[in-house]
Amino acid sequence: MPLDYEIRDGNLRWIRNPFTGVISYVVDVRAKSFAFTLGARETADSPEAPARIMDAEEIQLACAACPFCPGNEERSPPEIMRMEPGEVDGSDGSPGQSDAPWVIRAFNNLFPRVPEELTGGRNESYVVVEDPRHFLDRPRSHHDLLFTGALSERHFLKLLGADAAITRQSLRNPAVRSVVVRKNQGRESGASQPHVHQQIIGAPVALPAIAAESAAQRENPGLWHDLAALMEELGLMIERRDGAISYASPIGAFPRSYDIVMPEFCGLIGELDDEQLAAFASLLHRVLRVLGPLPLDYEIHQGDGLPLHAHVNARLYPYSNVAGTLNLPNTLLENVAAIRRMLSRR
């Protein structure tokens, strides 16, 4: 099915998601009050406690209770991978990082997303701890957590390199046919642990979202190129680099969604050469830096003839999918322009 949308007076009015069928309508919500729906988040992010720095004992107690912090490695399943400080050039040298014996580590998830008996009796759900630091430097409260966008670009590139290695390992299991990289940041996104981490999940069949994308790709082989051309026409393109593009997506799962796509590369993340991986990692990392500590999720989709791509969903703004429709703010173009300005300064 070709892209289905309508532009009036030079502005996008609606667009149908070619994978799910959901229609996004562009509406003016600037006068709408979100005070009630955002109240809980604002209370959590802006505690009324005096502005002070957490003392060392508070930080130590929080880290002692966290299974992902250094010194608590025995609380997780056996480690399958680690990167040590000398392997991650470009780390920012923060005290919490330099004191730890590792920078990135991975192990099987205690709670498999897919039952082991469906993947040949092996647990193909993995957790990748992105950094040993639990908090940002000089935290004022338990909400001042390290977030993915705070990692250096070089560090994030190494993180995606670990994802690529685990993807290859999972696919060596003949019972695994599909692998997705999934990140949840913040309680609103469903993250079950505060420490910065992501998941990798192997499944016995193509995961439903990837299967839907693959079906649409087979029906319309030029779909992803058409999407890129439309994003350029609408002014939603953010950046291009060495075969990778990023844009604000009007067909995302949430009102603030972004895609990072390699239109010419139909393969797995573990098949990228160093230059391709660096380009993909850089554009994804730059979007995550702009979003900062906001609640978000992202998924890296790969396989079955698809261009390698990542969907990023910011969950700051309320989400309302009504009868297969979603509202997009008509300030989307202004937001993209602001993102481009911010990235150009960096």
Side-chain angles (χ1 to χ4, degrees):
M1 177 177 65
L3 287 175
D4 192 14
Y5 61 91
E6 183 176 356
I7 295 177
R8 290 191 186 184
D9 301 323
N11 298 312
L12 180 68
R13 300 311 300 155
W14 60 268
I15 183 170
R16 185 188 302 276
N17 187 314
F19 313 121
T20 66
V22 170
I23 295 178
S24 295
Y25 291 102
V26 181
V27 298
D28 188 347
V29 296
R30 284 173 291 190
K32 183 178 177 65
S33 172
F34 295 123
F36 177 72
T37 52
L38 292 180
R41 189 197 65 80
E42 290 174 346
T43 299
D45 288 353
S46 305
E48 296 182 1
R52 65 175 185 85
I53 305 301
M54 290 176 67
D55 61 38
E57 183 178 0
E58 288 179 286
I59 294 173
Q60 184 178 7
L61 287 173
C63 293
C66 173
F68 293 169
C69 276
N72 301 332
E73 291 83 0
E74 75 284 352
R75 299 188 197 174
S76 63
E79 191 174 279
I80 62 171
M81 175 187 295
R82 83 161 45 185
M83 292 184 183
E84 299 180 351
E87 299 177 73
V88 185
D89 299 328
S91 61
D92 61 17
S94 296
Q97 184 165 359
S98 59
D99 291 346
W102 51 267
V103 178
I104 298 168
R105 64 186 296 261
F107 44 86
N108 286 105
N109 197 327
L110 277 172
F111 307 98
R113 182 76 180 187
V114 176
E116 294 181 26
E117 56 266 30
L118 300 180
T119 51
R122 284 169 44 181
N123 181 352
E124 292 292 353
S125 296
Y126 303 88
V127 171
V128 183
V129 181
E130 303 174 28
D131 192 283
R133 290 169 291 172
H134 189 97
F135 292 110
L136 294 169
D137 291 340
R138 298 171 63 81
R140 294 183 301 112
S141 77
H142 287 267
H143 302 291
D144 287 340
L145 299 165
L146 185 70
F147 53 91
T148 302
L151 304 177
S152 70
E153 185 169 319
R154 180 67 177 173
H155 187 144
F156 188 74
L157 174 60
K158 288 291 188 178
L159 176 63
L160 288 201
D163 294 341
I166 294 171
T167 294
R168 287 192 295 266
Q169 173 181 313
S170 184
L171 287 169
R172 284 195 286 269
N173 179 352
V176 172
R177 299 295 183 87
S178 186
V179 177
V180 69
V181 179
R182 171 78 180 188
K183 166 74 182 183
N184 294 91
Q185 177 172 293
R187 287 182 177 179
E188 296 92 333
S189 73
S192 59
Q193 291 288 345
H195 198 117
V196 62
H197 71 286
Q198 58 177 211
Q199 297 182 60
I200 301 176
I201 301 158
V205 296
L207 292 153
I210 298 175
E213 291 175 342
S214 296
Q217 167 81 5
R218 288 192 296 271
E219 184 176 337
N220 180 10
L223 175 60
W224 290 93
H225 290 92
D226 293 344
L227 273 170
L230 179 61
M231 297 307 106
E232 196 77 75
E233 178 185 350
L234 296 173
L236 299 180
M237 191 68 66
I238 298 174
E239 293 186 291
R240 293 179 178 272
R241 176 182 170 184
D242 299 331
I245 60 175
S246 61
Y247 54 82
S249 175
I251 59 171
F254 284 77
R256 297 296 195 282
S257 294
Y258 306 87
D259 286 350
I260 295 82
V261 186
M262 303 196 72
E264 305 298 333
F265 179 83
C266 295
L268 306 174
I269 189 171
E271 298 170 339
L272 293 171
D273 62 31
D274 291 345
E275 183 177 310
Q276 291 172 318
L277 182 62
F280 183 73
S282 177
L283 293 196
L284 177 53
H285 179 257
R286 285 164 70 81
V287 168
L288 296 175
R289 281 188 65 186
V290 168
L291 295 176
L294 294 180
L296 61 83
D297 64 70
Y298 72 75
E299 285 186 358
I300 298 176
H301 288 185
Q302 55 187 330
D304 203 13
L306 283 176
L308 181 71
H309 61 282
H311 299 298
V312 183
N313 299 303
R315 301 204 184 195
L316 171 62
Y317 297 96
Y319 162 77
S320 181
N321 187 322
V322 178
T325 68
L326 180 68
N327 282 166
L328 297 178
N330 62 349
T331 55
L332 188 60
L333 188 59
E334 299 169 23
N335 296 338
V336 172
I339 289 173
R340 284 198 292 260
R341 288 195 299 271
M342 187 181 301
L343 291 175
S344 69
R345 291 197 295 269
R346 289 178 174 175

